């Protein structure tokens, strides 16, 4: 059983608990493979926060593009972040947005590794 802190030391909190549950039945080799792919595809909450802040200087929706939500990114871009209300909500919820994205990515990587 691989410990999540050994293979992914950069994750914390709720994400660490989620990934630990995924890794509990993996051997060390599969866990390291999972960690390598997951590390490259996951999004850091700080990056989501910084790209969401760009919405205040005219580039609304960049954070949605970064997370692969192209439709929402286009909507935010053409509506100025839904009149900045959507951008403000996303700033407050940036950690939740990143966690939900990372959960999806973790499940995709898990299905590839197994």
């Amino acid at each position: 059983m691989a410990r999540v802190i050994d293979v992914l030391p950069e994750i914390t909190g709720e994400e660490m608990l989620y990934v630990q549950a995924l890794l509990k039945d993996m051997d060390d080799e599969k866990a390291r493979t999972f960690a390598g792919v997951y590390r490259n595809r996951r999004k850091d909450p700080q990056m989501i926060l910084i790209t969401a802040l760009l919405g205040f200087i005219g580039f609304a929706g960049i954070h949605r593009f970064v997370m692969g939500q192209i439709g929402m990114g286009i909507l935010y871009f053409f509506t100025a972040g839904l009149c900045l209300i959507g951008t403000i909500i996303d700033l407050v919820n940036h950690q939740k947005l990143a966690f939900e994205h990372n959960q999806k990515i973790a499940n995709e990587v898990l299905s590839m590794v197994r």
Side-chain angles (χ1 to χ4, degrees):
M1 178 172 108
R3 291 183 339 151
V4 70
I5 199 74
D6 294 336
V7 292
L8 291 164
E10 67 271 11
I11 66 173
T12 59
E14 193 175 13
E15 184 181 7
M16 183 168 50
L17 295 174
Y18 185 77
V19 172
Q20 182 66 46
L22 296 177
L23 295 179
K24 71 179 178 181
D25 295 329
M26 284 189 197
D27 60 22
D28 285 345
E29 183 179 330
K30 283 187 179 180
R32 293 199 188 286
T33 302
F34 172 87
V37 176
Y38 179 69
R39 181 177 286 122
N40 289 328
R41 295 184 61 196
R42 75 180 283 274
K43 302 299 179 204
D44 183 40
Q46 295 298 333
M47 185 185 57
I48 302 301
L49 176 65
I50 291 167
T51 54
L53 283 170
L54 291 174
F56 289 112
I57 59 171
F59 299 106
I62 298 297
H63 63 292
R64 295 292 184 154
F65 285 109
V66 167
M67 292 187 303
Q69 299 174 348
I70 306 303
M72 286 295 287
I74 291 170
L75 179 67
Y76 272 50
F77 182 76
F78 286 116
T79 61
L82 300 175
C83 299
L84 292 181
I85 294 170
T87 300
I88 293 169
I89 291 171
D90 286 354
L91 285 171
V92 172
N93 294 322
H94 73 279
Q95 289 181 329
K96 180 181 175 197
L97 289 171
F99 177 66
E100 289 171 354
H101 174 78
N102 291 338
Q103 266 185 315
K104 182 179 142 200
I105 295 301
N107 289 326
E108 289 174 9
V109 172
L110 181 65
S111 67
M112 288 179 356
V113 171
R114 285 192 175 177

